[in-house]
Amino acid sequence: MTTPAASAPRIPEAVHRRRWAILGVLMLSLLIVVLDNSILNVAIKTISTPAPTGLGATQSELEWAINAYTLVFAGLLFTAGLLGDRLGRKKVLLGGLAVFGIGSALAAESGSPTQLIAFRAVMGLGAAFVMPATLAVLMNVFEREEQPKAIGIWAGGVGLAIAIGPITGGVLLDHFWWGSVFLVNVPIVLLALALMLWLVPDSRDPSPGRVDPVGVVLSVVGLVLLVYGIIKGGQLADFTDPTVLASIGAGVLVLAAFVVFEKRSDHPSIDVTYFKNKVFSAAIGAIALVFFALMGVTFFSVFYTQSVRGYTPLQTGLLMLPLAAAQMIFAPRARLVVDRFGNRATTTAGMIVIAAMLAAFATLEADTPIWLLEVIFFLMGTGMAHIMTPVSVVIMQALPREKAGSASALSNTFRQVGGALGIAVLGSVLSAAYRNGIEGKLGALPAGLRDVAGESIEATLGVAAKLGPRGKGLVAPANDAFLHAMHVTALCGAAVAVVGAVVVAVFLPGRPTQGQRGQDEPELVAAAE
């Protein structure tokens, strides 16, 4: 008697045998995309110092150096996912890695902040084709019952990159020039390309969607205008400025036009009908909110450890280890907690832990014992691990396997948009609060220097260094103003995380009964279709 075809494995045996090796190659590809931002976080203080040590980048230029990457990344992710579904995920992965490597080499040789911003955008273009393809390939080499475990390990790879990035960046900055933090990507790209050609199978959607150039342009233009307005408002410490209001308003209008266009299009970049599924929408929202809070905090914590506390880039990288270690430890095991308590309880608890730790940043002072920062970082990593793994599984299993590229792209689009807005909004809150706190202490400076010195703590300390002994009186006020600004920003981040906790508590599914387990899968797929 033959076994019915329906019960046969859906993955070819040759691919199934090497699935864990393939996962390793996919994680290496993912590693460099995440590694790049975590390395840059340690290097931003060095890049902000004047030449020849750095590029003399202002705080708003630093925000753009980070956001040029994330906005291009986020804006093109969905199209990249569709192209992977259409052309083949392996081809798209190889092309994306090559562009990322070229962009990294160019960024390392940047001669000005403007060049760095442009080459970071090139890196974002390459990364947009890497990230969704890794998760889409994963979904096509693992059987459904192994997918949660594989996604947990994949999410743990993000923690590994967060750990390796700051330490690698610190070591490189201790021995080489600032551009080495980008050049290090090139050998990793070459290794990943060689392994991918050898091991990774190609896959594609048998009925892929059409590419939507109008939707891509509208989404990128809308996001850039919105983020530009937010960053400009922080730079000026005035969100009522006509330029700021016009940019933010135009960004919102273009994004609204994008949503209307996507609803009416027969081949949308983002199929808005997916969001009728409340579970899917809540999971996507949770990812965006947690990255909004996390990226904003990472941005200001580097200035806290290096500018206020006086740690080197390498020491700062080591201080961030608990955040990464917690993700590496708990991300692969989070599915066990979900099995025991359900998605809702696990993710809500993770969000509450993140909110509490962000609020804890508001208690840090210049002389706070450093072990308290380590505890905060470890608990933040623990909270993230218990959010990212369950919501990634919910998102990836909410759509049919053939749409894996689209589901991955949606997840990563909202992750990157959340992160970019986190840096823009919380960076602008930090900038505005700092300028308001320091302006009264800069009265003795010439008018031209006063405006420059008020932009960030690094700008103030740079002016103080140029003034020599006369500038020493600015150091303590700069630290005080920064700490106040950091406390305000941390509380804003905590409020965002609380909103995330409410969203997942209301909309994510609880622990299914034994009878429901077999029914959830088709219902979830049907709701998303």
Side-chain angles (χ1 to χ4, degrees):
M1 185 173 171
T2 56
T3 306
S7 64
R10 298 179 64 180
I11 311 297
E13 178 57 31
V15 172
H16 185 73
R17 274 202 311 271
R18 62 178 194 267
R19 65 196 185 283
W20 297 108
I22 292 168
L23 179 60
V25 179
L26 295 176
M27 285 176 65
L28 183 64
S29 307
L30 177 72
L31 188 76
I32 58 164
V33 174
V34 181
L35 184 81
D36 179 71
N37 266 343
S38 59
I39 282 185
L40 183 61
N41 284 333
V42 173
I44 53 178
K45 181 180 181 294
T46 305
I47 294 170
S48 71
T49 56
T53 305
L55 291 175
T58 64
Q59 183 160 315
S60 58
E61 285 170 337
L62 288 173
E63 289 176 41
W64 275 115
I66 297 170
N67 281 338
Y69 178 88
T70 52
L71 287 174
V72 172
F73 192 0
L76 294 176
L77 267 172
F78 204 84
T79 295
L82 282 174
L83 286 174
D85 290 345
R86 175 185 288 270
L87 303 175
R89 283 109 186 196
K90 181 176 181 175
K91 295 184 187 74
V92 163
L93 259 175
L94 291 169
L97 279 171
V99 171
F100 184 86
I102 292 165
S104 298
L106 291 170
E109 298 300 326
S110 300
S112 68
T114 304
Q115 285 184 10
L116 178 61
I117 291 165
F119 295 138
R120 288 276 298 158
V122 173
M123 293 170 69
L125 172 64
F129 286 86
V130 173
M131 181 73 96
T134 60
L135 201 46
V137 170
L138 181 155
M139 298 299 285
N140 279 275
V141 298
F142 283 91
E143 294 292 351
R144 192 174 186 91
E145 61 272 12
E146 279 189 322
Q147 286 172 5
K149 182 180 180 182
I151 290 174
I153 294 169
W154 181 87
V158 176
L160 181 65
I162 291 171
I164 293 172
I167 296 167
T168 307
V171 170
L172 290 169
L173 291 170
D174 273 5
H175 295 90
F176 304 102
W177 93 116
W178 64 266
S180 60
V181 301
F182 299 112
L183 202 60
V184 72
N185 291 333
V186 176
I188 304 174
V189 165
L190 293 173
L191 175 62
L193 285 171
L195 290 171
M196 199 168 292
L197 283 166
W198 177 37
L199 282 170
V200 175
D202 208 354
S203 63
R204 65 184 72 200
D205 186 344
S207 54
R210 284 160 57 200
V211 177
D212 173 27
V214 176
V216 171
V217 171
L218 286 174
S219 63
V220 173
V221 170
L223 284 169
V224 169
L225 284 169
L226 179 63
V227 169
Y228 173 80
I230 293 167
I231 291 175
K232 190 71 177 173
Q235 188 183 354
L236 299 173
D238 181 11
F239 284 89
T240 61
D241 181 85
T243 307
V244 173
L245 290 174
S247 178
I248 292 175
V252 170
L253 284 174
V254 173
L255 290 173
F258 167 73
V259 172
V260 172
F261 180 82
E262 296 302 283
K263 274 185 176 179
R264 295 178 178 176
S265 173
D266 58 355
H267 57 285
S269 281
I270 294 177
D271 189 341
V272 291
T273 59
Y274 293 157
F275 293 93
K276 291 179 181 176
N277 180 344
K278 291 178 182 177
V279 171
F280 182 80
S281 297
I284 288 279
I287 281 184
L289 290 169
V290 77
F291 269 80
F292 179 99
L294 183 80
M295 292 296 284
V297 167
T298 308
F299 187 78
F300 69 64
S301 66
V302 171
F303 288 102
Y304 172 70
T305 53
Q306 292 185 39
S307 300
V308 177
R309 302 298 295 258
Y311 289 102
T312 66
L314 176 57
Q315 289 169 330
T316 298
L318 292 169
L319 287 172
M320 289 184 175
L321 260 181
L323 177 68
Q327 284 200 60
M328 289 170 63
I329 292 165
F330 295 111
R333 296 170 174 81
R335 64 194 171 83
L336 304 175
V337 182
V338 173
D339 288 345
R340 178 85 182 267
F341 299 105
N343 278 306
R344 182 190 300 149
T346 303
T347 311
T348 304
M351 276 289 192
I352 290 169
V353 168
I354 294 249
M357 292 309 102
L358 288 169
F361 264 97
T363 67
L364 298 178
E365 301 293 344
D367 56 354
T368 300
I370 204 66
W371 64 265
L372 282 174
L373 180 64
E374 300 300 87
V375 171
I376 290 170
F377 275 148
F378 184 81
L379 291 174
M380 279 186 77
T382 304
M384 274 202 74
H386 289 91
I387 297 166
M388 295 310 300
T389 299
V391 296
S392 294
V393 172
V394 166
I395 290 164
M396 294 307 293
Q397 294 192 344
L399 300 183
R401 183 195 293 259
E402 293 75 25
K403 302 297 180 187
S406 300
S408 173
L410 267 173
S411 168
N412 285 296
T413 297
F414 278 81
R415 179 185 307 190
Q416 294 301 324
V417 168
L421 289 175
I423 291 166
V425 173
L426 297 183
S428 294
V429 170
L430 183 75
S431 185
Y434 180 79
R435 186 180 282 278
N436 289 334
I438 197 68
E439 270 180 339
K441 308 293 193 297
L442 303 175
L445 296 177
L449 273 182
R450 208 177 303 151
D451 191 55
V452 172
E455 185 163 293
S456 68
I457 184 170
E458 275 308 300
T460 309
L461 296 178
V463 168
K466 285 179 185 172
L467 293 174
R470 287 188 304 134
K472 285 186 178 176
L474 287 176
V475 175
N479 285 344
D480 290 343
F482 177 81
L483 286 168
H484 170 71
M486 183 179 83
H487 295 162
V488 171
T489 308
L491 291 174
C492 289
V496 170
V498 168
V499 171
V502 172
V503 168
V504 295
V506 172
F507 294 112
L508 280 197
R511 186 183 176 194
T513 64
Q514 196 64 37
Q516 289 174 317
R517 288 181 196 276
Q519 299 169 9
D520 285 349
E521 178 185 315
E523 282 176 6
L524 203 52
V525 171
E529 283 183 322

